[in-house]
Amino acid sequence: MNWYVIYTKPKWEKRVVDQLTQLGVNCYCPFIKSVKQYSDRKKTVEIPLFNNYIFVQLADKDRNLVFLSRGAIRYLYWLGKHAIVKDKEISTIKEWLTKDATISISQYNAGETIKLNSGPFLNHYAVIKEVTNSHYVLILESLGYVLKIMHKTEKIKTAN
């Protein structure tokens, strides 16, 4: 069975996963913890790593099951076909979310290429795009990712 990507209504990721799980569909929606600042307090909340997207694993003949959830809008397409995510890529996302990566690149400058020697992107090459007092921005061309790595106590944030 293949993993497909479903586009959901905004803020419906958890509900769609719950509804599809009740129907027997294997779903995955990676969440990260984020601290939200309110006027009177700070609160740690879980937010989706990929806004408006969830992954579903099902057979080709069962693809219409996802539309039994009101929050599922459509499948994501790539080159005119349903986008298929490999099991290895889902495993990499899961592994990445369970690890804390510590990378020190203070001796490097923007424009240099480095090989990452720890964390979930071990042995991948990255180009340093930006170095600031609070973070580093790395481009992982082989994966199509831009990494924003905060200094020491902060977590890694990614964007496609």
Side-chain angles (χ1 to χ4, degrees):
M1 288 193 292
N2 294 319
W3 284 96
Y4 297 99
V5 183
I6 301 295
Y7 184 75
T8 67
K9 290 180 181 179
K11 312 274 188 220
W12 272 67
E13 298 88 355
K14 284 183 183 180
R15 283 179 266 186
V16 172
V17 167
D18 290 342
Q19 291 169 357
L20 293 178
T21 301
Q22 287 177 356
L23 293 172
V25 177
N26 186 16
C27 302
Y28 177 59
C29 183
F31 289 96
I32 56 174
K33 293 186 184 209
S34 177
V35 177
K36 295 287 184 180
Q37 175 68 52
Y38 297 100
S39 60
D40 60 339
R41 69 190 184 287
K42 288 184 180 180
K43 184 176 180 180
T44 302
V45 296
E46 281 191 337
I47 58 171
L49 181 60
F50 306 106
N51 290 333
N52 299 75
Y53 292 104
I54 65 166
F55 302 100
V56 295
Q57 186 180 35
L58 37 74
D60 288 344
K61 64 182 175 72
D62 296 330
R63 282 197 308 234
N64 286 334
L65 278 177
V66 299
F67 299 113
L68 295 176
S69 170
R70 289 187 357 190
I73 296 176
R74 63 179 172 83
Y75 279 95
L76 182 69
Y77 285 85
W78 175 254
L79 299 176
K81 296 180 181 177
H82 288 91
I84 296 176
V85 181
K86 298 176 186 167
D87 286 329
K88 186 177 184 330
E89 294 168 329
I90 296 292
S91 298
T92 301
I93 293 169
K94 289 178 180 179
E95 181 182 332
W96 179 81
L97 290 174
T98 60
K99 291 185 177 181
D100 287 332
T102 305
I103 302 170
S104 174
I105 59 170
S106 57
Q107 70 269 24
Y108 297 111
N109 296 313
E112 292 184 38
T113 301
I114 61 169
K115 183 177 182 180
L116 303 177
N117 58 9
S118 68
F121 299 107
L122 178 68
N123 294 328
H124 283 279
Y125 287 91
V127 177
I128 302 169
K129 182 177 179 183
E130 179 183 335
V131 179
T132 69
N133 291 336
S134 64
H135 66 273
Y136 308 105
V137 176
L138 306 177
I139 300 173
L140 286 131
E141 293 176 352
S142 64
L143 297 175
Y145 280 105
V146 175
L147 293 177
K148 182 176 181 181
I149 301 177
M150 308 305 284
H151 284 271
K152 298 190 183 196
T153 59
E154 301 286 332
K155 294 241 181 199
I156 295 176
K157 300 187 181 203
T158 65
N160 275 345

